[in-house]
Amino acid sequence: MTKEILKYLLLFIVLVVAQVVVFNHLCLFNVAVPLVFIYFIIKLPVTLSVNWAMTFSFILGLMVDIFSNTQGMNALACTVLAVMRLPLLRLYFPREEDMTNPEPSLHTLGPAAYTKYLLTMVAFYCAIFFLIESFTFYNWGLMVLRIVSSTLLTFIIILSFDSLTAKSR
Amino acid sequence: MRNLLNFLLRYSSWFLFAFYVVVSCGLLFNRNPYQHHVYMTSAGAIAGGLHDISSNITGYFSLRDINDDLQRQTAELQAEVLTLREQVRRYREDELQDSLRQVDSIGRFDFIIATVINNSISRPYNYVTINKGRLDGIRPEMGVMDQNGVVGVVNVVSDHYARIISLLNPNFRLSCKLRGSDTFGSLVWDGNDPTSAILEELPKHTIFHEGDTIVTSGFSAVFPEGLPVGIISGTARGADDNFFTLKIKLLTDLTALSTVKIISNTDLDEIRSVENDATSKSDN
């Protein structure tokens, strides 16, 4: 149990630092920003209560906000994402009891379900985040472009990271 | 009461969700940037510290280019300043001597830029090594400076490298004067602190204040006149000598040299030969 907590704490710190130091400065074609820190929310165990998931996600978002000067945007989007996590997961994987390990991964969910879950989560997050960021639809074409490209970029990065870690097991 | 507690517990997720949303919206809609708390921005100690660390790392990536640019720019400006100074001096001389015209070239000084590849500061006799040598036009007894001030004098030259007697070397005495006056003394390192040196033999009648700038006197033909060397930080010895001895805080940070400029005086050989002629004649 302690090992799990430590693992998540480490993941939290590594993701925040990586997002703030590296990924925030990656802006592909001036539209696509990888928002990889939500990997933490995606990886939270399904047995964790919604309250805790929300709290952790809120803190995660707040941390990224503080470091990247986006007041409350990521905190709000992360909270919403944490609430939507289990409903989205049940969409593709209705039998939570079948999971050997409560942590969603390529292994526990199977590649198809996990990929769909991941893509939906990332797309959902990017949509909320860029909606909050732009707020007015003065240039909604650009906003859609940003959502789609950022979703793809984040999805690819997280999936490749997952494949790498899955192979090493 | 029990019902209320049950109600709160059953819908705790909703309350928590609402709470977080309100908090983040509060942050989000706080449009006045001056009201943002410092801990909620990247100016906070931890966030700033992290960015500081990351820029400390990434800052090095382009540092070389930036540095080269700056050095080149400073070299150009410095050459311009010296040329202008020469020009002013020439006009002064013209003014004084009325009819006499000088035909020699105005820009007597040229700069060669080199990178420091070795530098000692902790030994009693310190030297700097640079990556330019004879083939790049460097000769012994050329002056060396960086963007802040004097570094030393070239003393050993190979084809591709040169060794410089650093200011932090008691063998090197630099003729200096107070900026804005013509009283001069001799700067030498006392062997203790790599950031300070001693200015000796300053005439007793000199009026100076702490914080005054010491510049090169231009008597040696190695350094042009008026290069900044240091700032007076106090008197070093008792006032009963015939000369003042001052503590000088060096403007050049010799502990962190990266790129230096070697001053090549195109008239150096001529000046040398004149001086040598004079001494050999007086010897006879």
Side-chain angles (χ1 to χ4, degrees):
Chain A
M1 190 60 199
T2 323
K3 206 181 139 200
E4 289 290 296
I5 293 173
L6 273 178
K7 200 187 88 181
Y8 276 104
L9 190 68
L10 192 70
L11 184 69
F12 184 95
I13 295 169
V14 167
L15 281 174
V16 169
V17 171
Q19 178 68 37
V20 171
V21 174
V22 182
F23 292 111
N24 268 351
H25 303 289
L26 286 183
C27 197
L28 227 57
F29 310 119
N30 255 340
V31 282
V33 186
L35 301 163
V36 294
F37 65 97
I38 56 164
Y39 186 64
F40 179 80
I41 304 174
I42 291 165
K43 277 293 189 184
L44 281 176
V46 288
T47 47
L48 192 72
S49 80
V50 183
N51 286 2
W52 280 115
M54 258 195 304
T55 309
F56 292 147
S57 308
F58 178 76
I59 296 170
L60 176 75
L62 198 64
M63 284 294 149
V64 176
D65 275 338
I66 288 172
F67 283 113
S68 48
N69 282 326
T70 47
Q71 308 287 325
M73 278 183 220
N74 285 304
L76 182 57
C78 279
T79 312
V80 177
L81 185 72
V83 174
M84 296 304 292
R85 189 174 64 104
L86 285 183
L88 283 177
L89 184 64
R90 289 200 188 104
L91 217 59
Y92 305 114
F93 200 81
R95 307 174 308 279
E96 277 168 44
E97 310 78 47
D98 291 359
M99 285 173 69
T100 48
N101 185 338
E103 181 189 310
S105 69
L106 277 171
H107 182 67
T108 50
L109 291 181
Y114 180 73
T115 315
K116 278 189 270 184
Y117 163 65
L118 180 65
L119 183 61
T120 322
M121 287 287 275
V122 171
F124 192 76
Y125 185 81
C126 288
I128 308 171
F129 180 73
F130 287 110
L131 264 174
I132 297 171
E133 195 187 56
S134 58
F135 245 95
T136 48
F137 291 92
Y138 71 94
N139 194 348
W140 65 274
L142 182 69
M143 196 194 68
V144 170
L145 187 67
R146 288 182 71 130
I147 291 174
V148 172
S149 56
S150 297
T151 302
L152 282 177
L153 188 60
T154 312
F155 175 69
I156 291 166
I157 291 175
I158 293 183
L159 196 64
S160 44
F161 180 69
D162 254 333
S163 323
L164 279 177
T165 49
K167 205 169 262 179
S168 66
R169 258 173 216 166
Chain B
M1 192 62 197
R2 178 176 284 270
N3 283 341
L4 181 65
L5 270 179
N6 276 341
F7 169 78
L8 283 177
L9 275 178
R10 189 177 303 157
Y11 296 102
S12 62
S13 303
W14 287 104
F15 287 116
L16 204 60
F17 179 67
F19 172 70
Y20 287 143
V21 167
V22 168
V23 170
S24 39
C25 284
L27 284 169
L28 188 58
F29 292 113
N30 188 354
R31 280 290 172 196
N32 187 349
Y34 296 105
Q35 287 171 6
H36 290 161
H37 199 275
V38 71
Y39 294 113
M40 286 292 153
T41 66
S42 64
I46 298 167
L50 184 72
H51 286 298
D52 207 24
I53 292 167
S54 87
S55 89
N56 270 346
I57 296 163
T58 55
Y60 286 108
F61 294 160
S62 53
L63 204 61
R64 194 172 290 269
D65 295 337
I66 295 171
N67 203 9
D68 282 350
D69 285 349
L70 278 177
Q71 292 287 347
R72 202 170 302 121
Q73 207 175 353
T74 338
E76 280 165 16
L77 288 175
Q78 199 104 36
E80 200 178 322
V81 166
L82 291 172
T83 318
L84 289 174
R85 208 170 275 161
E86 284 289 322
Q87 224 164 358
V88 168
R89 183 191 292 165
R90 199 179 64 138
Y91 285 133
R92 279 220 188 101
E93 283 167 7
D94 278 0
E95 198 179 48
L96 277 175
Q97 306 185 349
D98 210 14
S99 59
L100 198 71
R101 283 193 59 83
Q102 291 195 329
V103 285
D104 61 342
S105 67
I106 293 167
R108 283 201 299 148
F109 294 103
D110 230 334
F111 291 103
I112 302 159
I113 293 171
T115 305
V116 171
I117 54 175
N118 186 28
N119 181 17
S120 73
I121 52 161
S122 52
R123 284 194 279 272
Y125 294 85
N126 293 298
Y127 297 93
V128 178
T129 318
I130 55 167
N131 67 346
K132 292 269 171 75
R134 189 177 292 115
L135 298 182
D136 303 289
I138 291 176
R139 301 283 176 274
E141 297 190 19
M142 279 182 175
V144 180
M145 59 181 290
D146 78 345
Q147 69 271 25
N148 297 318
V150 171
V151 171
V153 160
V154 177
N155 111 292
V156 179
V157 182
S158 73
D159 276 354
H160 299 283
Y161 297 100
R163 192 181 74 169
I164 296 160
I165 301 184
S166 153
L167 260 184
L168 307 181
N169 190 322
N171 288 338
F172 176 44
R173 297 185 82 90
L174 180 66
S175 173
C176 290
K177 64 177 187 180
L178 282 169
R179 172 174 279 170
S181 92
D182 277 330
T183 53
F184 61 93
S186 165
L187 186 94
V188 69
W189 189 47
D190 56 359
N192 298 324
D193 182 0
T195 61
S196 70
I198 301 285
L199 184 69
E200 294 176 338
E201 297 166 32
L202 195 69
K204 200 73 179 180
H205 61 80
T206 317
I207 299 164
F208 64 89
H209 307 282
E210 261 183 43
D212 281 359
T213 310
I214 303 293
V215 297
T216 53
S217 66
F219 289 169
S220 61
V222 171
F223 290 102
E225 189 190 342
L227 286 182
V229 175
I231 288 168
I232 298 175
S233 61
T235 49
R237 231 168 281 160
D240 39 12
D241 295 341
N242 286 330
F243 296 99
F244 279 126
T245 303
L246 306 179
K247 262 183 98 75
I248 306 296
K249 190 181 178 314
L250 296 174
L251 284 169
T252 313
D253 186 6
L254 286 147
T255 59
L257 289 175
S258 63
T259 318
V260 291
K261 285 174 280 201
I262 293 91
I263 306 160
S264 91
N265 186 343
T266 44
D267 290 350
L268 189 65
D269 292 340
E270 197 178 329
I271 294 170
R272 278 284 132 72
S273 70
V274 168
E275 284 174 358
N276 286 341
D277 280 352
T279 40
S280 57
K281 259 172 204 160
S282 67
D283 285 344
N284 288 338

